[in-house]
Amino acid sequence: MEPYVPRSARHRRKGGNEAWEWVQALVIAFILAWIIRSFVCEPFHVSGPSMRETLHDGDLVLVNKLVYEFREPKRGEVIVFDYQKEKRDYIKRVIGLPGDIVEVRNGRVLVNERSIPEPYIKPGTPTSDMPPTKVPEGHLFVMGDNRGNSSDSRDIGPVPIDWVVGRADLVFWPMTDFGFLW
């Protein structure tokens, strides 16, 4: 038989254990959130008009940081990369892969002499011509969907694959724009 412990003492002991359990739960949640954000996915704030009509200034997207640990980026994917010359992140669409020759002729983007389908471009979006450019090994050629108002590989050059943070998979804010990007 257990010795009698007054109700107030039992309550204090339970309260102390409960507080310790809360501290443990919060520490575990913080560690898991840090691991997920560092290695799996991370929110990204879209700033500027370069990806309009696909993404808008102020949108929040979820960036999958794990996908490119298993494979290389593919043409057409929207990526976030760390533009190290300006120490900031950019969000753009992959147009050319290593070894591709990218050109803009008469407003059409050609990759390896073939016009690529671009359903994400608003009809009538101006795209100035660009001479053929070979994408070096270990690099990507990226462009914004709002071609007339985008600082992309036409200006900054091909992007080293090592600079890629991840693939933008989901717009989660504002809720009116909620949806997958692939």
Side-chain angles (χ1 to χ4, degrees):
M1 178 175 219
E2 291 187 32
Y4 173 75
V5 178
R7 185 179 186 316
S8 61
R10 282 188 306 227
H11 184 68
R12 270 193 309 265
R13 196 174 325 137
K14 181 181 178 191
N17 286 340
E18 189 172 326
W20 176 242
E21 288 173 9
W22 272 100
V23 168
Q24 288 175 323
L26 289 172
V27 167
I28 290 169
F30 177 77
I31 291 169
L32 286 174
W34 177 80
I35 289 170
I36 290 169
R37 187 175 175 135
S38 297
F39 303 106
V40 179
C41 61
E42 179 178 357
F44 176 79
H45 182 263
V46 176
S47 178
S50 73
M51 286 298 291
R52 202 179 306 145
E53 300 295 318
T54 306
L55 297 169
H56 302 92
D57 189 34
D59 282 355
L60 290 175
V61 298
L62 195 60
V63 176
N64 180 338
K65 297 172 98 173
L66 201 55
V67 66
Y68 298 137
E69 295 298 321
F70 300 102
R71 67 169 181 81
E72 295 294 316
K74 295 180 181 177
R75 187 176 294 111
E77 291 179 332
V78 177
I79 64 167
V80 171
F81 64 93
D82 177 17
Y83 184 48
Q84 295 181 2
K85 292 178 182 172
E86 291 184 9
K87 303 212 182 309
R88 59 180 276 208
D89 290 339
Y90 276 27
I91 187 164
K92 305 291 177 198
R93 189 174 301 274
V94 176
I95 300 298
L97 303 173
D100 283 346
I101 297 175
V102 180
E103 173 183 8
V104 180
R105 189 184 320 144
N106 299 323
R108 298 283 305 152
V109 176
L110 298 124
V111 176
N112 301 324
E113 297 282 327
R114 293 192 138 140
S115 180
I116 61 171
E118 296 187 292
Y120 41 82
I121 300 293
K122 183 178 178 183
T125 299
T127 305
S128 56
D129 287 356
M130 180 192 83
T133 303
K134 185 170 183 172
V135 183
E137 287 303 315
H139 289 72
L140 302 169
F141 193 94
V142 297
M143 295 175 81
D145 290 354
N146 185 8
R147 302 286 162 75
N149 195 359
S150 176
S151 180
D152 50 38
S153 288
R154 295 171 293 170
D155 306 310
I156 66 173
V159 174
I161 291 175
D162 293 349
W163 291 3
V164 176
V165 174
R167 180 181 69 195
D169 282 347
L170 174 75
V171 177
F172 67 91
W173 192 261
M175 289 303 291
T176 54
D177 292 339
F178 183 89
F180 291 99
L181 290 171
W182 26 271

